[in-house]
Amino acid sequence: MGMILYHGEPNGPSLAVLAALAESGVEADCRPIDLLAGERHTLPGVTEPLARDMGIEGEGPVLVVEGEAMTESVFIAQFLDESGANTLQPKDAYAHWQMLMWCRRITERCAPAAAFLGCQATAQPRLAAMNQAAFGAVLNTIASEDLRVRWVAVAAGDFPEDQARDCIAKVTDAVALVETQLADGRDWLMGELTIADFETYGWLAGTVTLVPDAWTGKGRAAAWLARVRARPSVQSALARATLPNPESQWAPGPEINRWG
Amino acid sequence: MAAVTLYHWEPNANSGKPMLALMEKGVPFDSHYIDMLNFDQHKPEYLAINPQGTIPAMTHGDLVLVESTAIMEYVNDAFDGPNLMPGTARDLWRIRWWMKFMDQWLAPSFSMFGWKYFVGPNALKAHGQDKIEAQIAQIPLPERQLAWRKAVFGLFSEAEMAESGRRIGVGIQMLEAELAKREWLASDQYSLADVNGFNLAYAMPLSQPHLANDDLTPNIMRWLRAIYRRPATRECWKLGRTPMASRVEILEQDYIPPRAESEGIESGVR
């Protein structure tokens, strides 16, 4: 069963999945794609595109197995772990629930905020510089209407101030959560190294420059970030970067919760 | 075995998910009904269990668990009984993918209709404006305060409702297409994705009769009836105390024709 992992620059969900892949020992053909050129929406050999088209995560990595596009970084990481070394998820049912709850906290609250701020900083200028026809051609390949809306907002520089403030608060909360979680001196978020470390690292690594105040006085969180970064699996993921500063590369992410 | 207590509202949406999962699994539990419209979920005795004031919550011995889908996965992991996450690693991925899609994209759109037309007006009628203001002020999570305010005082914008309506239409088409491929939603075996999906979709033939019916979505109707026939489903829906739960009886009809959208809003009470 050949697998192809199409990934963006090693940041956010692409970083998390690349690291989980390396930890799992599973063999996959890793192919970098330019997310901001819309390449994710025109992948060859996809016969079951639903998860790529309608995923919650936005421009995350896509693992193609027998033509089926698999998305959502936490679930791809679980799939790789369960297909391989099986070391990245707690075996105890309650500890597993805790890991899932942690990952949901990150993907539902922190990820949309980090993607919003990251896109504002680096994706907006690039999309705004595209000519109208080229941008229109990319939009035409995006199946999901609400993901298309997020692309248009980024290109237009539509980043309302109250939302930006809320996003900064959410990132700040996430860093504080990490700091608190490590208070008992543990090395990894769940005690043992799990998918939660890679998912959290992926979304937070770039916020050191985006929201520097969030990291002020967060020594344990900063040390954890360095620890995750030093993992050979993360180093191998970072080595796949095609641009300098991969943690500054962002693409439209999950939407901000419509209920507030 | 440590005792299990489930704090839940009606067998519907988030409360119904762990209720049905426990019953499918054959795990005995102490059912603790929380009357959401009476704001039981924000009373001190419940906040002592779940400080966030969200429903459902489950205790297993000394452990406290929240978030319906995560509780279901815990139930499947922690207890003997039929495996509700069956199949290959890829099937598990698909079960998780569908649950997240429903939980975060489709269900919030359904619940916007449910809260606008049912939860908000009924809570307002039962309590009156002044008392309800005080109740809302006591809700621990700010986003839940906002949700209640919007529902009770009819503050959902036209654009928000239109977007939710669009998503419901898209989501129903996605479910129909997926259920045309295989017997169950995410794999060839009954799974938590079906438990989750049934709680989201069982009343669609009533609330969205123009979109979900035997003419337009035969595979959804086949799937809903198959789940309704399961003994665990029958037992689960008996725990309902309001007319909301009895909506499930629509699935006893052999043929449900398309009807106008307006009839759905009047009878749908999602």
Side-chain angles (χ1 to χ4, degrees):
Chain A
M1 183 168 64
M3 300 186 199
I4 304 173
L5 176 61
Y6 294 98
H7 60 86
E9 291 296 310
N11 190 38
S14 286
L15 179 284
V17 167
L18 284 166
L21 174 68
E23 298 280 349
S24 75
V26 169
E27 297 236 348
D29 178 4
C30 295
R31 299 188 190 170
I33 53 174
D34 185 348
L35 296 175
L36 290 182
E39 289 181 3
R40 185 177 175 278
H41 299 279
T42 55
L43 300 175
V46 175
T47 53
E48 297 274 351
L50 180 70
R52 184 268 312 270
D53 289 345
M54 298 302 293
I56 301 294
E57 193 164 64
E59 299 294 330
V62 181
L63 181 67
V64 179
V65 183
E66 292 175 337
E68 183 169 30
M70 301 170 66
T71 61
E72 305 296 344
S73 54
V74 172
F75 303 156
I76 299 176
Q78 286 184 283
F79 167 78
L80 293 169
D81 183 51
E82 287 158 9
S83 302
N86 214 352
T87 56
L88 294 179
Q89 301 181 71
K91 300 291 178 279
D92 171 72
Y94 185 71
H96 195 255
W97 173 85
Q98 288 179 308
M99 186 197 82
L100 291 180
M101 289 296 292
W102 180 280
C103 288
R104 281 185 61 155
R105 174 73 176 63
I106 295 301
T107 56
E108 289 177 28
R109 297 183 67 84
C110 173
F116 178 102
L117 298 169
C119 282
Q120 184 176 27
T122 59
Q124 194 276 332
R126 196 173 142 204
L127 292 188
M130 279 174 88
N131 75 51
Q132 204 79 22
F135 186 65
V138 170
L139 288 186
N140 281 337
T141 65
I142 301 175
S144 159
E145 195 171 315
D146 38 291
L147 179 56
R148 224 155 41 223
V149 166
R150 304 209 283 289
W151 273 75
V152 169
V154 171
D158 180 13
F159 298 98
E161 258 182 54
D162 56 337
Q163 267 190 358
R165 265 197 306 277
D166 185 52
C167 289
I168 289 170
K170 283 178 172 149
V171 166
T172 305
D173 286 350
V175 178
L177 193 69
V178 171
E179 183 75 6
T180 304
Q181 184 78 357
L182 299 167
D184 61 5
R186 63 179 72 189
D187 277 349
W188 310 111
L189 296 172
M190 299 290 116
E192 299 299 310
L193 180 75
T194 68
I195 290 165
D197 291 290
F198 299 119
E199 185 70 17
T200 309
Y201 177 91
W203 289 109
L204 283 185
T207 69
V208 174
T209 47
L210 286 173
V211 193
D213 290 350
W215 292 85
T216 306
K218 300 292 189 292
R220 290 189 296 266
W224 164 84
L225 203 70
R227 234 174 356 256
V228 179
R229 189 183 174 87
R231 287 288 298 183
S233 60
V234 174
Q235 285 297 306
S236 74
L238 291 170
R240 294 183 184 276
T242 65
L243 296 168
N245 305 321
E247 61 278 1
S248 301
Q249 304 300 325
W250 298 90
E255 76 179 344
I256 290 169
N257 187 339
R258 297 171 61 227
W259 276 74
Chain B
M1 188 165 64
V4 174
T5 301
L6 188 70
Y7 299 83
H8 62 86
W9 185 46
E10 291 291 291
N12 179 68
N14 290 339
S15 282
K17 287 188 256 171
M19 291 167 77
L20 184 52
L22 285 162
M23 286 179 164
E24 285 285 355
K25 203 77 184 167
V27 179
F29 64 97
D30 184 10
S31 158
H32 197 117
Y33 187 89
I34 300 287
D35 186 349
M36 186 175 86
L37 298 184
N38 195 36
F39 295 98
D40 284 356
Q41 70 277 21
H42 306 131
K43 290 179 178 158
E45 42 286 26
Y46 184 67
L47 293 177
I49 309 283
N50 176 13
Q52 303 220 308
T54 56
I55 328 170
M58 187 177 93
T59 57
H60 180 204
D62 295 335
L63 304 175
V64 181
L65 300 104
V66 295
E67 290 287 337
S68 54
T69 292
I71 295 174
M72 289 203 298
E73 290 203 45
Y74 173 84
V75 166
N76 191 53
D77 284 348
F79 300 100
D80 294 334
N83 182 10
L84 299 174
M85 297 276 283
T88 63
R90 216 162 109 204
D91 290 328
L92 299 192
W93 164 80
R94 213 178 294 104
I95 292 167
R96 291 166 179 143
W97 190 93
W98 269 100
M99 293 202 290
K100 178 172 178 175
F101 175 77
M102 292 189 288
D103 289 348
Q104 288 191 42
W105 196 86
L106 192 49
S109 299
F110 274 112
S111 60
M112 206 173 273
F113 276 80
W115 279 60
K116 180 181 173 76
Y117 292 109
F118 177 72
V119 173
N122 279 302
L124 188 59
K125 200 161 62 188
H127 300 283
Q129 174 132 357
D130 290 346
K131 196 172 157 219
I132 217 158
E133 289 271 16
Q135 295 277 15
I136 291 173
Q138 285 175 18
I139 299 175
L141 291 178
E143 59 263 33
R144 298 314 302 163
Q145 284 203 16
L146 184 63
W148 273 100
R149 261 195 199 100
K150 282 183 160 187
V152 167
F153 302 116
L155 302 178
F156 292 112
S157 71
E158 267 182 44
E160 277 178 304
M161 296 309 294
E163 175 61 5
S164 289
R166 180 187 77 80
R167 292 186 187 203
I168 288 170
V170 170
I172 289 174
Q173 285 176 12
M174 283 171 63
L175 288 169
E176 177 63 16
E178 205 68 2
L179 289 162
K181 292 182 201 162
R182 57 179 90 85
E183 184 177 359
W184 302 106
L185 179 55
S187 75
D188 292 332
Q189 298 168 76
Y190 186 71
S191 78
L192 292 183
D194 301 297
V195 173
N196 189 320
F198 186 78
N199 273 284
L200 176 71
Y202 75 94
M204 277 183 346
L206 269 176
S207 56
Q208 277 79 30
H210 59 307
L211 300 175
N213 54 64
D214 279 294
D215 288 3
L216 288 175
T217 58
N219 288 292
I220 288 177
M221 296 311 302
R222 162 188 62 74
W223 171 71
L224 290 178
R225 289 189 181 104
I227 300 174
Y228 180 60
R229 280 195 297 269
R230 297 175 72 87
T233 311
R234 299 300 177 100
E235 285 307 304
C236 185
W237 258 258
K238 280 183 193 163
L239 294 182
R241 297 186 183 183
T242 74
M244 175 176 246
S246 61
R247 295 179 305 165
V248 78
E249 289 160 17
I250 180 99
L251 297 174
E252 285 171 16
Q253 296 176 21
D254 292 332
Y255 172 71
I256 300 171
R259 294 202 320 277
E261 179 176 10
S262 56
E263 289 184 52
I265 288 177
E266 284 157 22
S267 68
V269 292
R270 284 222 50 118

